[in-house]
Amino acid sequence: DAGVTQSPTHLIKTRGQQVTLRCSPKSGHDTVSWYQQALGQGPQFIFQYYEEEERQRGNFPDRFSGHQFPNYSSELNVNALLLGDSALYLCASSLVLNTEAFFGQGTRLTVV
Amino acid sequence: GENVEQHPSTLSVQEGDSAVIKCTYSDSASNYFPWYKQELGKGPQLIIDIRSNVGEKKDQRIAVTLNKTAKHFSLHITETQPEDSAVYFCAASPSNTGNQFYFGTGTSLTVIP
């Protein structure tokens, strides 16, 4: 079992650009959640996808959007990047009826 | 929304001693409380969790206790080892938010050999 995998591991973007991050959930899991973790802070919930729809959303602007594919993998898109978007972006997968969630290793995004 | 506070922010213990990390939450609807260990450059790793219908859970050297009345829960690590050194996060999940987790600010644990 490969667990939760994320790509890329590191990314450097320029302010104003757009970025797409990818996540493959743990085998058998159907729900994907995305979190943003600023340096020295706990992860902050961005949104959650189940059955290819956004089910829950945290306090993040519309610049943050996502998608879930039929194979349960997911993408996080961020438009008009700001310096403050620099963070570790984490993907967590779970079964919708089970709250136990497993995280990937994250994508370190640096906006310059 | 839910607010989770975590203390202490840093903790140093001698190898073999016990470590205790405490968290409080605000939303009485929270019914699931996981603890994660995060090593440098890695994603959070689930180490133990507890549900609101249980007061205590133990897994080898790790235990978690939950006091629903006081809205606080704690992580206990006994016989600490240098490989226990990491940042530990508590989290709470309200029953009406699907699988949304609210995290504490983390505790950096250092185990001194």
Side-chain angles (χ1 to χ4, degrees):
Chain A
D1 184 359
V4 181
T5 58
Q6 294 186 240
S7 63
T9 54
H10 296 84
L11 202 53
I12 300 175
K13 288 288 188 177
T14 302
R15 189 173 48 183
Q17 285 188 317
Q18 178 264 345
V19 68
T20 297
L21 311 181
R22 295 176 176 82
C23 171
S24 292
K26 182 178 171 68
S27 178
H29 283 183
D30 55 10
T31 302
V32 172
S33 301
W34 287 92
Y35 288 80
Q36 180 195 67
Q37 187 178 24
L39 204 59
Q41 299 295 316
Q44 297 287 319
F45 177 78
I46 302 174
F47 43 53
Q48 179 183 88
Y49 278 83
Y50 168 68
E51 291 187 334
E52 303 179 49
E53 290 189 12
E54 184 182 292
R55 299 290 178 168
Q56 300 281 344
R57 189 178 183 91
N59 189 27
F60 279 80
D62 292 344
R63 297 187 298 109
F64 290 77
S65 63
H67 189 76
Q68 185 179 35
F69 299 94
N71 67 352
Y72 307 124
S73 67
S74 177
E75 290 182 347
L76 164 65
N77 301 291
V78 187
N79 295 322
L81 284 166
L82 304 174
L83 297 179
D85 294 331
S86 295
L88 180 67
Y89 288 85
L90 296 162
C91 168
S93 76
S94 60
L95 281 172
V96 68
L97 297 179
N98 185 330
T99 46
E100 191 177 52
F102 296 89
F103 282 83
Q105 82 283 5
T107 294
R108 173 69 63 186
L109 172 65
T110 302
V111 182
V112 297
Chain B
E2 174 64 279
N3 180 47
V4 177
E5 295 189 355
Q6 183 173 348
H7 300 280
S9 57
T10 60
L11 181 59
S12 291
V13 299
Q14 291 292 136
E15 181 177 359
D17 287 350
S18 296
V20 180
I21 302 171
K22 298 182 178 182
C23 291
T24 61
Y25 63 98
S26 61
D27 191 343
S28 57
S30 287
N31 63 352
Y32 177 67
F33 307 90
W35 285 86
Y36 286 87
K37 174 185 181 181
Q38 188 172 28
E39 296 175 331
L40 199 61
K42 296 185 178 181
Q45 174 193 0
L46 178 67
I47 56 172
I48 196 167
D49 57 10
I50 192 167
R51 299 179 190 273
S52 59
N53 59 346
V54 176
E56 183 173 0
K57 184 177 178 180
K58 188 174 183 180
D59 183 4
Q60 299 182 337
R61 296 186 297 110
I62 295 174
V64 58
T65 59
L66 171 65
N67 184 325
K68 285 174 53 181
T69 303
K71 294 193 181 69
H72 64 72
F73 55 115
S74 300
L75 177 71
H76 305 252
I77 306 174
T78 59
E79 301 173 14
T80 54
Q81 301 166 2
E83 51 265 39
D84 293 330
S85 297
V87 179
Y88 291 81
F89 291 97
C90 62
S93 180
S95 58
N96 58 350
T97 63
N99 218 19
Q100 179 175 343
F101 294 165
Y102 292 83
F103 282 86
T105 50
T107 295
S108 179
L109 173 64
T110 301
V111 179
I112 304 166

